[in-house]
Structures are given as C-alpha cells and as structure tokens.
Amino acid sequence: MKQRQESDRAALGSAGELAINGPLADHVDALHGRLGVRGRVVLAQLPFTITVCLVVAAAAVFSPASLASDMFRMALLAHTAIFAACLAVPWGRLPAGASAAIPVLDCIAVGFTREAGGPAFNVLSLLLVFPVIWLSVRRRRYMLFLAILGVVLSTALPTAVAVSAQAPGAMIRTIFLPLVMSAIAVTAYAVAGIVFRQRERLLLSEHELAQTLAENVRRQRLLDAVLAAVGIGVWVVDAEGRTVLTNKAMQADPALAALTEAAGHGGLFLADRSSPAPPDLSPVSRAISGSAFSDELYWTGDPDDPARQRAYSVGAHGIPASQGKDGGSVLTFVDVTRLISALAAKDNFVATVSHELRTPLTSILGYLELVLDEPGHEEIQSELLVVHRNAQHLLGLVNDLIAVASERVELSLEDTDLAKLVTEVVDSTIPKAAMNGLELELDVEQPLPARVDPGRIRQVLGNLLSNAIKYSKEGGRITVLAQRNGQTLVCSITDTGVGMSAEEQEQAFTKFFRSARSRETAIPGAGLGLPVSKTIIEAHGGSISLASTQGTGTTATFMIPCAED
C-alpha cells in the first residue's frame, strides 16, 4: 500500500502539481483525484503529445519535405511509442518513480526530432520545457538531476549519432541549451517546493478551520439545548439594546415576549407593584449602560389587578467586548411570583401568631406585676422575678417578629438629644461588657438634637451593642462614636471581634439569618436584631450599614436626620 501511494505521488504531472488556484485548477484537481496512476501519467504527458501533434500539422503545411525524412518519421514514431507506453504500462504496479522514464525519453525524442528537422526545427528545443517541468516539480532531488540529464541527452545523443558534418552553432546549442533548461529546472523545482508548502499550509488551515467550525457547531447545539432546557427567561442584547437571541422560556411567557417586542422599555413596574419603571431604570437600559446587577425585583401586569401580576427577579451580566466593540449583555428573568406569595403568606402567619402571642403575654406580665406588688410572696420573690424577666424577653421577641413581618414600626417621635441617649445606653451596657472582659469606649459630640422615638433608638443601640459584645473575644475593645455630619447624625459601633465574610455581610439584614460561627459556638440570638434595627432606622428616614473584615472586627453605622433648627 505504501509503495502504491509513493507511486501515485510520483506520477503527478506538472499540470496536476501546480494547479492550485482558479476554477480550471479546481477542475484539474478534481479530475486528477479521480484518475488512477496510469491516468495521471497520461494526463501529465498529454500537453506534450498535443503540442507535438500541432508541430507535425504545421510541418505538413509549411515544410512538407521534412515529413519525407526517414529520421524525422522515426522521431515521430518514438513520440507515438512513448505516449502508447503511457497508456499501456501498469504504472501502479511498478516501483515509485518509474514513470520518470517518460519525460526523460521525451527529452531524447525531442533532440532527435529537432536534429531530423534541420535548422528550421531548432525551435523544437522549447518542447523540452514540458518534460523538464514534469520532472522538476516533484519533491525529490534526483528528479531534478534526471531533468538536467534529459536535457543533456537531448543534445548529446543526436550529435553523437549523426555522422554528417555538424550544422553551424551545434556546439553552442550543446552547451547553452542544457544551461538554460537547467536554470528552468532549478527554478521550477524551487517554485514547486514553495507552492507545495503553501498547499500543505492551506490544507492544514482548512483542516483546523473545519475542526473549529465543527466545535463551534457542537457548542452552539449545546448552548441551544441548555437555553431550551433552563426554566428561566434568557434575553441577549447587543450594545445598542437590540435583541440578539431569546430562549424558549422567554418566548413562551406572554409578559416577557411582550417585553422583548417593546425593547424592554414598557410594561414593567418597580417593587411597589404600581410605579412604572422609568426608561432609564428598565433592565435593558441599565444593562447597555454597563451596569451589572442581580436579583432586582420587577413586576408585570395591571396594578389594578394584583392577583394577575407576575414578579420577576432580573439580572444582567455584560458580555466581554471583542476587537474594540462592546459585547452587549445577557439578561435573565426568573418568575418569583410564587416565592413572593409564599414569603408574604409566611410574614402574615408570623404577624398573626405574634399578635396572638402578645395578648396573653401582656396579660401574664400584668398579673406578674400585681403579684410582685402584693406582700406575702417574699419566699418566691426571686423566682417571680425570673419569670417576669423571661416573659419580658419573650414579649420583646414577639414585638420584633411583628416588626420584621410588617416591615414597619409605630413611632412616638419627640425632640431628643441623641448624645444623651447614646451615653445612657452605653453606661447601662458597661457592666455587661466588663463581665466579658471587654473595654467600652465612648466618643460623643455634644449636643446632637434629633426628633426620634427614644425607645426605638435605645432598642437599636442595644441590639448593636449586644452583637458587638457577643462576637468579641475577651480583651477586645468596643468603640461607640456619635457625631454630626451636616444635616445627618452618624452613630457607629466598632468592635474587634471575629468579623464577617462578604457573603455573611450580604445576608446580615435578612430575617432569622445567623452566621455559621454563631451557630457553631452556640452564641445566643434569633437573627432578628439587625433586621429590626434596619426597620426602625429606615422608619426614621435614615439608613444602616455594616463594614466588616473576617477575623478583624465589625463596624455598624446608622444615620438619621438631624432635628430642624
């Protein structure tokens, strides 16, 4: 098999080897690929044979006497025999390179034909170009040697055989013709090498391109399958906000399908379910402006018919730019209507149960206070105080549950000095901090006028100080700072405790959330302190935030408006 392949390659003619560009070359290559080894040899010999036939036809018209020469006829018979050999010899069964004998014989036949035709036929030396190129374009150096040898034989043998006096200039032809043809052979060999290497590179590039295309098709099918399988709406837009693609879930949801048709600028409402989303706050506008976001709540449907409204958690992720062009963005829409309804039902349940618990607890506390005020219970006074204290603690938890469930609190506002309020809470906390081996520092600017609910602000300060104490190690320090910043009062509580991770900080104000460390170390708490504090501060028109580094400590800061002068 290997020998047959070598023979196939050896049989490539100049036409087949060099034809790599253009429509004609494509046809030749296609024909060349369908032929066997014998057919390829014939195809390579055919241009030479046709040219010889044309020369004979011209000689019959312009020089009939030359056809009467026995030597000329013998030369033409040699050409015919060579072409017949191309047709008859089973080249595929012979060793590789055997077909090189044909162009060498062509060179010798050209020499005798030129010699038999006389000076008028010296131009036949140009026919040597065909066999020379045939041999030279092969990728073996010995073929180049055979090409030069064939040219030398085309001049030397006829000269040696001829017994008559040599025509003038015959010696010059014997020397210069091989030199010129050798130059042509070397040039053809070099050009063929360049072309062949270029062809190999092109074939390699074509193969790599085909592999890349196949991989891209595979990935595209995988992407299509993933997009069709996921139950969330996926909407890809370009840098101008134009739709690139949408998946099946996006198309099947009437509300989302209408959204894509409106380019994302209509039919959406903000989290309050009634305020239309302004064009600059629509998901598409935010996405193409370069904003990346997640878990943004939007509503669709008629606000006058809440039962038919749908809630979507929307996210946007930018596509990396390529070649200096913006890549656009991928928007995801997750239907969270059922989740929102479930959370609302849970909050309603918590609020209802909390209200039901608060009534008997209030009654219990009332009767406990009556018992404590009555004489004759001195022997169980301490036990009654424990019951009273735990009932008050339970009532506080119930009130916290009601606050976080309703996400609002009732405030009794009055003009208050926040500096005095902070000082009182810190003073009452110093003993507890000392019991835990903590140092409590206070830095308060005087005065800090505010219109607040003193009881609620005390609750916030108590929650924040309680967290700082619980999560600080013995020997740590807690710093309380309160000051005025323009028309805002700022209060911060910094500890040197265990701190929080970034993920824990994101969940810190979530109802009932407790960090993994607090659960592992059994630190007491219900996960309501921060959510309740957030509700209270926001009810005052302020804001609260956390800044923490794991292993270093945490700073809790809340800001409320300053009282008007």
Side-chain angles (χ1 to χ4, degrees), residues 187-513:
T187 302
Y189 179 81
V191 171
I194 294 172
V195 171
F196 188 85
R197 287 189 295 272
Q198 288 179 341
R199 186 185 183 93
E200 283 188 327
R201 284 195 292 268
L202 287 173
L203 291 175
L204 179 61
S205 298
E206 182 180 354
H207 178 67
E208 293 175 349
L209 182 60
Q211 288 184 322
T212 303
L213 179 60
E215 179 64 17
N216 288 339
V217 170
R218 188 189 69 81
R219 291 183 178 181
Q220 182 63 44
R221 290 176 178 172
L222 177 61
L223 176 61
D224 292 342
V226 171
L227 290 177
V230 296
I232 65 174
V234 179
W235 184 12
V236 182
V237 297
D238 61 15
E240 304 298 327
R242 295 185 293 265
T243 298
V244 176
L245 68 86
T246 57
N247 71 337
K248 184 177 180 180
M250 195 78 183
Q251 299 163 6
D253 190 322
L256 298 183
L259 187 64
T260 59
E261 293 173 1
H265 298 307
L268 287 179
F269 298 90
L270 300 179
D272 62 4
R273 307 181 65 165
S274 59
S275 300
D280 59 331
L281 292 182
S282 70
V284 172
S285 297
R286 295 173 61 186
I288 63 178
S289 67
S291 175
F293 55 89
S294 60
D295 300 327
E296 293 286 343
L297 186 62
Y298 288 89
W299 289 84
T300 62
D302 187 358
D304 295 330
D305 188 6
R308 300 177 66 87
Q309 283 189 295
R310 309 295 298 175
Y312 295 92
S313 176
V314 184
H317 306 274
I319 301 174
S322 61
Q323 298 180 351
K325 297 181 179 180
D326 293 335
S329 186
V330 178
L331 293 95
T332 56
F333 293 78
V334 182
D335 191 336
V336 293
T337 307
R338 292 184 178 179
L339 177 60
I340 295 295
S341 299
L343 292 174
K346 184 200 72 173
D347 289 341
N348 290 335
F349 173 77
V350 171
T352 301
V353 172
S354 299
H355 279 290
E356 294 298 324
L357 290 174
R358 184 164 60 175
T359 300
L361 278 174
T362 303
S363 178
I364 291 171
L365 283 170
Y367 280 106
L368 279 173
E369 290 171 359
L370 289 175
V371 172
L372 288 171
D373 290 340
E374 292 291 331
H377 302 92
E378 289 77 7
E379 68 277 4
I380 59 170
Q381 182 79 8
S382 60
E383 288 82 357
L384 291 175
L385 288 174
V386 171
V387 174
H388 186 269
R389 184 170 60 253
N390 282 284
Q392 283 186 320
H393 176 66
L394 185 56
L395 181 61
L397 286 177
V398 169
N399 289 331
D400 288 345
L401 284 171
I402 294 173
V404 297
S406 62
E407 296 186 351
R408 68 180 187 84
V409 292
E410 296 180 0
L411 302 178
S412 298
L413 301 178
E414 57 183 78
D415 292 332
T416 308
D417 183 1
L418 182 62
K420 181 180 178 181
L421 196 61
V422 172
T423 302
E424 291 174 354
V425 175
V426 170
D427 288 343
S428 65
T429 310
I430 288 177
K432 184 177 180 180
M435 289 177 59
N436 287 272
L438 301 172
E439 182 182 352
L440 189 55
E441 295 183 356
L442 177 63
D443 183 3
V444 178
E445 180 182 332
Q446 300 285 348
L448 295 174
R451 184 166 180 79
V452 297
D453 183 328
R456 290 298 188 179
I457 296 300
R458 282 193 180 92
Q459 185 179 358
V460 172
L461 291 168
N463 288 338
L464 299 181
L465 282 169
S466 176
N467 284 342
I469 292 172
K470 286 190 295 185
Y471 293 100
S472 294
K473 298 179 181 179
E474 185 177 353
R477 175 180 298 177
I478 299 173
T479 303
V480 180
L481 172 66
Q483 60 186 5
R484 180 169 180 167
N485 184 8
Q487 296 300 313
T488 303
L489 302 182
V490 182
C491 181
S492 63
I493 298 174
T494 303
D495 63 60
T496 55
V498 297
M500 305 172 68
S501 65
E503 293 78 9
E504 291 172 341
Q505 291 181 61
E506 292 179 358
Q507 300 291 325
F509 292 100
T510 303
K511 306 168 190 177
F512 309 110
F513 172 77

Side-chain angles (χ1 to χ4, degrees), residues 83-100:
F83 186 71
C86 292
L87 294 170
V89 175
W91 300 104
R93 300 178 183 177
L94 300 180
S99 60

